[in-house]
Every structure is written in C-alpha cells, then in structure tokens.
mmCIF file of all heavy atoms in Angstrom:
data_model
loop_
_atom_site.group_PDB
_atom_site.id
_atom_site.type_symbol
_atom_site.label_atom_id
_atom_site.label_comp_id
_atom_site.label_asym_id
_atom_site.label_seq_id
_atom_site.Cartn_x
_atom_site.Cartn_y
_atom_site.Cartn_z
ATOM 1 N N MET A 1 10.649 -2.073 -26.921
ATOM 2 C CA MET A 1 10.215 -2.071 -25.519
ATOM 3 C C MET A 1 8.805 -1.505 -25.422
ATOM 4 O O MET A 1 8.497 -0.500 -26.056
ATOM 5 C CB MET A 1 11.195 -1.252 -24.676
ATOM 6 C CG MET A 1 10.900 -1.286 -23.194
ATOM 7 S SD MET A 1 12.199 -0.458 -22.252
ATOM 8 C CE MET A 1 11.528 -0.619 -20.615
ATOM 9 N N LYS A 2 7.960 -2.155 -24.584
ATOM 10 C CA LYS A 2 6.580 -1.720 -24.426
ATOM 11 C C LYS A 2 6.356 -1.151 -23.033
ATOM 12 O O LYS A 2 7.079 -1.467 -22.088
ATOM 13 C CB LYS A 2 5.624 -2.884 -24.643
ATOM 14 C CG LYS A 2 5.616 -3.412 -26.068
ATOM 15 C CD LYS A 2 4.584 -4.496 -26.228
ATOM 16 C CE LYS A 2 4.540 -5.004 -27.664
ATOM 17 N NZ LYS A 2 3.515 -6.035 -27.856
ATOM 18 N N CYS A 3 5.333 -0.335 -22.955
ATOM 19 C CA CYS A 3 4.968 0.270 -21.672
ATOM 20 C C CYS A 3 4.445 -0.816 -20.744
ATOM 21 O O CYS A 3 3.590 -1.617 -21.134
ATOM 22 C CB CYS A 3 3.914 1.357 -21.876
ATOM 23 S SG CYS A 3 3.323 2.060 -20.315
ATOM 24 N N LYS A 4 4.934 -0.857 -19.533
ATOM 25 C CA LYS A 4 4.531 -1.866 -18.568
ATOM 26 C C LYS A 4 3.101 -1.631 -18.070
ATOM 27 O O LYS A 4 2.457 -2.538 -17.580
ATOM 28 C CB LYS A 4 5.477 -1.848 -17.354
ATOM 29 C CG LYS A 4 6.895 -2.250 -17.676
ATOM 30 C CD LYS A 4 6.948 -3.733 -18.001
ATOM 31 C CE LYS A 4 8.384 -4.176 -18.230
ATOM 32 N NZ LYS A 4 8.440 -5.607 -18.554
ATOM 33 N N LYS A 5 2.628 -0.395 -18.247
ATOM 34 C CA LYS A 5 1.320 -0.049 -17.694
ATOM 35 C C LYS A 5 0.196 -0.254 -18.684
ATOM 36 O O LYS A 5 -0.826 -0.869 -18.383
ATOM 37 C CB LYS A 5 1.349 1.401 -17.208
ATOM 38 C CG LYS A 5 0.131 1.813 -16.401
ATOM 39 C CD LYS A 5 0.317 3.193 -15.815
ATOM 40 C CE LYS A 5 -0.890 3.583 -14.953
ATOM 41 N NZ LYS A 5 -0.760 4.943 -14.374
ATOM 42 N N CYS A 6 0.383 0.285 -19.914
ATOM 43 C CA CYS A 6 -0.702 0.212 -20.895
ATOM 44 C C CYS A 6 -0.366 -0.626 -22.117
ATOM 45 O O CYS A 6 -1.223 -0.879 -22.948
ATOM 46 C CB CYS A 6 -1.130 1.617 -21.313
ATOM 47 S SG CYS A 6 0.142 2.495 -22.273
ATOM 48 N N GLY A 7 0.906 -1.015 -22.269
ATOM 49 C CA GLY A 7 1.301 -1.859 -23.393
ATOM 50 C C GLY A 7 1.633 -1.101 -24.646
ATOM 51 O O GLY A 7 1.868 -1.700 -25.697
ATOM 52 N N CYS A 8 1.670 0.216 -24.584
ATOM 53 C CA CYS A 8 2.009 1.023 -25.767
ATOM 54 C C CYS A 8 3.437 0.754 -26.177
ATOM 55 O O CYS A 8 4.343 0.675 -25.346
ATOM 56 C CB CYS A 8 1.817 2.519 -25.439
ATOM 57 S SG CYS A 8 2.280 3.603 -26.813
ATOM 58 N N ASP A 9 3.626 0.587 -27.511
ATOM 59 C CA ASP A 9 4.982 0.296 -27.987
ATOM 60 C C ASP A 9 5.622 1.507 -28.679
ATOM 61 O O ASP A 9 6.622 1.364 -29.374
ATOM 62 C CB ASP A 9 4.948 -0.899 -28.938
ATOM 63 C CG ASP A 9 4.036 -0.655 -30.130
ATOM 64 O OD1 ASP A 9 3.423 0.408 -30.188
ATOM 65 O OD2 ASP A 9 3.951 -1.559 -30.996
ATOM 66 N N ALA A 10 5.068 2.719 -28.470
ATOM 67 C CA ALA A 10 5.634 3.946 -29.068
ATOM 68 C C ALA A 10 6.247 4.821 -27.968
ATOM 69 O O ALA A 10 5.951 6.014 -27.834
ATOM 70 C CB ALA A 10 4.559 4.710 -29.816
ATOM 71 N N LEU A 11 7.095 4.209 -27.150
ATOM 72 C CA LEU A 11 7.713 4.951 -26.046
ATOM 73 C C LEU A 11 8.707 5.992 -26.564
ATOM 74 O O LEU A 11 9.375 5.785 -27.574
ATOM 75 C CB LEU A 11 8.416 3.979 -25.105
ATOM 76 C CG LEU A 11 7.538 2.881 -24.487
ATOM 77 C CD1 LEU A 11 8.364 2.000 -23.547
ATOM 78 C CD2 LEU A 11 6.350 3.471 -23.746
ATOM 79 N N ILE A 12 8.799 7.102 -25.816
ATOM 80 C CA ILE A 12 9.734 8.183 -26.185
ATOM 81 C C ILE A 12 10.934 8.081 -25.270
ATOM 82 O O ILE A 12 10.816 8.119 -24.042
ATOM 83 C CB ILE A 12 9.069 9.569 -26.025
ATOM 84 C CG1 ILE A 12 7.846 9.636 -26.944
ATOM 85 C CG2 ILE A 12 10.047 10.677 -26.335
ATOM 86 C CD1 ILE A 12 7.014 10.877 -26.731
ATOM 87 N N LYS A 13 12.138 7.931 -25.888
ATOM 88 C CA LYS A 13 13.362 7.744 -25.106
ATOM 89 C C LYS A 13 14.041 9.083 -24.868
ATOM 90 O O LYS A 13 14.232 9.866 -25.780
ATOM 91 C CB LYS A 13 14.319 6.808 -25.836
ATOM 92 C CG LYS A 13 15.543 6.402 -25.029
ATOM 93 C CD LYS A 13 16.348 5.367 -25.814
ATOM 94 C CE LYS A 13 17.486 4.807 -24.982
ATOM 95 N NZ LYS A 13 18.254 5.746 -24.237
ATOM 96 N N THR A 14 14.410 9.310 -23.607
ATOM 97 C CA THR A 14 15.179 10.503 -23.228
ATOM 98 C C THR A 14 16.288 10.040 -22.300
ATOM 99 O O THR A 14 16.016 9.605 -21.168
ATOM 100 C CB THR A 14 14.296 11.538 -22.502
ATOM 101 O OG1 THR A 14 13.193 11.867 -23.336
ATOM 102 C CG2 THR A 14 15.099 12.777 -22.169
ATOM 103 N N ASP A 15 17.529 10.105 -22.794
ATOM 104 C CA ASP A 15 18.688 9.592 -22.043
ATOM 105 C C ASP A 15 18.430 8.133 -21.665
ATOM 106 O O ASP A 15 18.232 7.319 -22.526
ATOM 107 C CB ASP A 15 18.967 10.456 -20.806
ATOM 108 C CG ASP A 15 19.377 11.893 -21.212
ATOM 109 O OD1 ASP A 15 20.014 12.023 -22.270
ATOM 110 O OD2 ASP A 15 19.038 12.832 -20.476
ATOM 111 N N ASP A 16 18.388 7.881 -20.342
ATOM 112 C CA ASP A 16 18.204 6.505 -19.869
ATOM 113 C C ASP A 16 16.757 6.202 -19.534
ATOM 114 O O ASP A 16 16.443 5.201 -18.896
ATOM 115 C CB ASP A 16 19.060 6.246 -18.613
ATOM 116 C CG ASP A 16 20.544 6.398 -18.909
ATOM 117 O OD1 ASP A 16 20.909 6.185 -20.071
ATOM 118 O OD2 ASP A 16 21.315 6.675 -17.965
ATOM 119 N N TRP A 17 15.841 7.138 -19.955
ATOM 120 C CA TRP A 17 14.442 6.973 -19.584
ATOM 121 C C TRP A 17 13.574 6.763 -20.809
ATOM 122 O O TRP A 17 13.885 7.208 -21.901
ATOM 123 C CB TRP A 17 13.940 8.223 -18.837
ATOM 124 C CG TRP A 17 14.642 8.454 -17.529
ATOM 125 C CD1 TRP A 17 15.825 9.101 -17.340
ATOM 126 C CD2 TRP A 17 14.177 8.032 -16.280
ATOM 127 N NE1 TRP A 17 16.162 9.125 -16.042
ATOM 128 C CE2 TRP A 17 15.140 8.447 -15.331
ATOM 129 C CE3 TRP A 17 13.039 7.353 -15.825
ATOM 130 C CZ2 TRP A 17 15.014 8.209 -13.972
ATOM 131 C CZ3 TRP A 17 12.922 7.131 -14.478
ATOM 132 C CH2 TRP A 17 13.903 7.543 -13.552
ATOM 133 N N TYR A 18 12.461 6.115 -20.572
ATOM 134 C CA TYR A 18 11.408 5.995 -21.574
ATOM 135 C C TYR A 18 10.154 6.599 -20.971
ATOM 136 O O TYR A 18 9.862 6.402 -19.784
ATOM 137 C CB TYR A 18 11.131 4.529 -21.927
ATOM 138 C CG TYR A 18 12.116 3.937 -22.904
ATOM 139 C CD1 TYR A 18 13.144 3.099 -22.473
ATOM 140 C CD2 TYR A 18 11.998 4.215 -24.272
ATOM 141 C CE1 TYR A 18 14.039 2.546 -23.368
ATOM 142 C CE2 TYR A 18 12.896 3.651 -25.180
ATOM 143 C CZ TYR A 18 13.916 2.830 -24.736
ATOM 144 O OH TYR A 18 14.799 2.299 -25.629
ATOM 145 N N LYS A 19 9.400 7.331 -21.841
ATOM 146 C CA LYS A 19 8.138 7.900 -21.384
ATOM 147 C C LYS A 19 7.040 7.459 -22.328
ATOM 148 O O LYS A 19 7.201 7.476 -23.542
ATOM 149 C CB LYS A 19 8.212 9.432 -21.353
ATOM 150 C CG LYS A 19 6.946 10.069 -20.792
ATOM 151 C CD LYS A 19 7.104 11.576 -20.660
ATOM 152 C CE LYS A 19 5.849 12.193 -20.070
ATOM 153 N NZ LYS A 19 5.957 13.672 -19.938
ATOM 154 N N CYS A 20 5.915 7.030 -21.734
ATOM 155 C CA CYS A 20 4.787 6.563 -22.538
ATOM 156 C C CYS A 20 3.918 7.748 -22.922
ATOM 157 O O CYS A 20 3.430 8.465 -22.042
ATOM 158 C CB CYS A 20 3.959 5.539 -21.762
ATOM 159 S SG CYS A 20 2.528 4.947 -22.699
ATOM 160 N N PRO A 21 3.698 7.998 -24.242
ATOM 161 C CA PRO A 21 2.859 9.116 -24.673
ATOM 162 C C PRO A 21 1.377 8.887 -24.388
ATOM 163 O O PRO A 21 0.590 9.816 -24.397
ATOM 164 C CB PRO A 21 3.142 9.193 -26.174
ATOM 165 C CG PRO A 21 3.522 7.806 -26.553
ATOM 166 C CD PRO A 21 4.256 7.254 -25.385
ATOM 167 N N GLU A 22 0.985 7.625 -24.111
ATOM 168 C CA GLU A 22 -0.424 7.314 -23.892
ATOM 169 C C GLU A 22 -0.843 7.551 -22.440
ATOM 170 O O GLU A 22 -1.827 8.225 -22.151
ATOM 171 C CB GLU A 22 -0.716 5.857 -24.283
ATOM 172 C CG GLU A 22 -0.493 5.556 -25.755
ATOM 173 C CD GLU A 22 -1.507 6.235 -26.639
ATOM 174 O OE1 GLU A 22 -2.623 6.558 -26.157
ATOM 175 O OE2 GLU A 22 -1.189 6.455 -27.813
ATOM 176 N N CYS A 23 -0.068 6.944 -21.500
ATOM 177 C CA CYS A 23 -0.462 7.036 -20.090
ATOM 178 C C CYS A 23 0.482 7.867 -19.246
ATOM 179 O O CYS A 23 0.218 8.119 -18.075
ATOM 180 C CB CYS A 23 -0.589 5.639 -19.506
ATOM 181 S SG CYS A 23 0.986 4.749 -19.461
ATOM 182 N N GLY A 24 1.624 8.297 -19.850
ATOM 183 C CA GLY A 24 2.565 9.142 -19.133
ATOM 184 C C GLY A 24 3.499 8.387 -18.210
ATOM 185 O O GLY A 24 4.254 9.011 -17.455
ATOM 186 N N ALA A 25 3.477 7.048 -18.210
ATOM 187 C CA ALA A 25 4.365 6.271 -17.347
ATOM 188 C C ALA A 25 5.814 6.478 -17.755
ATOM 189 O O ALA A 25 6.134 6.648 -18.935
ATOM 190 C CB ALA A 25 4.019 4.789 -17.436
ATOM 191 N N VAL A 26 6.702 6.477 -16.749
ATOM 192 C CA VAL A 26 8.139 6.672 -16.975
ATOM 193 C C VAL A 26 8.853 5.422 -16.445
ATOM 194 O O VAL A 26 8.556 4.935 -15.359
ATOM 195 C CB VAL A 26 8.647 7.932 -16.246
ATOM 196 C CG1 VAL A 26 10.151 8.073 -16.449
ATOM 197 C CG2 VAL A 26 7.937 9.164 -16.762
#
C-alpha cells in the first residue's frame, strides 16, 4: 500500500492505521 498523498511505499502500520513517515499522512 502506498501513501495517497506523497506516494511513499514505506508506510508504518499501527492496528488499523497506516502512517506515512515522509509526509505524516494517516
């Protein structure tokens, strides 16, 4: 899964959430 905002594919998963380490999008 990629970040919808910046396209980063190194999202950090926490429970049912993903957080983008690049732009901080959740």
Side-chain angles (χ1 to χ4, degrees):
M1 185 174 178
K2 294 184 178 182
C3 176
K4 295 290 184 180
K5 190 173 182 181
C6 68
C8 177
D9 58 358
L11 302 181
I12 300 172
K13 188 175 187 316
T14 304
D15 296 327
D16 298 333
W17 296 85
Y18 280 102
K19 184 175 181 181
C20 179
E22 297 291 336
C23 65
V26 178

